[in-house]
Amino acid sequence: METLNEKAARNQKIAAVVKICLLLVLFVAFVFPFILVIVNVFKVKADITMNPMALVGAHGFTMQNFPNAMEKMHFWRSFGNSACITIISTALTLLLAAMASYVLVRNNWKACGLLFGAMIASMVIPFQVLMIPLVSLYGGILGLLGHRATLIFMHVGFSLSMATFMFHGAINTNVPIALEEAATIDGCSKWQTFWQIVFPLLKPTIATVAIIDAMAFWNDYLLPSLVLTAKELYTIPIATQVFYGTYSTDIGLIMAALLLAMLPILILYVFLQRFIVEGVTSGAVK
């Protein structure tokens, strides 16, 4: 006869196997589009259309999609625009959110509570609700569309609430007030205390916010398409639209453009991945 302990152990093993199988299915479903891009980027258009699942096409292995895609989408110009907008927007978001969070956490003013509550409430407002008023205001009334600075300003404004929320939790949890009191006794001003004591302790949160916002800014299509009106200012997501024709689409060039667009963010993630989990959970438990 099987004992209760043996039955419980067997049930646990079955549950573990089922869980692993389910996770494997979800993993394959998640990475399959990426694998499909990598497989088809080295084929000609005819081979992709005929059999997109084949590892090697009938015409063999080709690297020609990359130079053709880079030339047609003006890759380096688009890459420069994307890099400039992403780096400046991310840096401003990190600096402003960290400083704002420090003020909100360390001061018991009613205005701080109201401001933090308003920022949290703004996170539930979808961008599509503000899209038409923003374009009408900045374009029709102020005439500020068609500038990188306008797009950077909008990126920072839309991302500041989430970044402030994450820094707020991290400062509450990971920065003891005793450290700041000790720094004050040693003669540090509030400015010096923040930059020399508080800010270095926020590295995991900084890395997390940086990767989240950099991915959002780099991959954003809708907002840049509304703000950047000149082709010389196009970012990579907008530049890839050149491959989509009315009657035909060169899938090979699209795959090459998508892979080129993904590489910078993948490289950034590889360097910052060890901070991601720590940064996400740093403000979760007080």
Side-chain angles (χ1 to χ4, degrees), residues 78 81-82 85 151 218 220 224 228 233-240:
S78 302
N81 291 332
S82 291
I85 292 168
L151 180 59
W218 184 271
D220 190 18
L228 304 177
L233 302 177
Y234 279 0
T235 57
I236 286 182
I238 306 177
T240 56

Side-chain angles (χ1 to χ4, degrees), residues 120-174:
I120 297 302
S122 68
M123 291 166 56
V124 304
I125 302 175
F127 169 72
Q128 287 76 10
V129 174
L130 306 173
M131 181 172 63
I132 295 177
L134 273 177
V135 173
S136 300
L137 175 63
Y138 284 92
I141 299 176
L142 301 178
L144 294 177
L145 296 183
H147 301 281
R148 296 187 190 93
T150 304
L151 180 59
I152 291 171
F153 175 77
M154 291 184 178
H155 274 324
V156 174
F158 282 117
S159 62
L160 203 56
S161 295
M162 174 62 77
T164 302
F165 173 75
M166 296 185 67
F167 277 112
H168 189 281
I171 293 173
N172 253 333
T173 305
N174 298 333

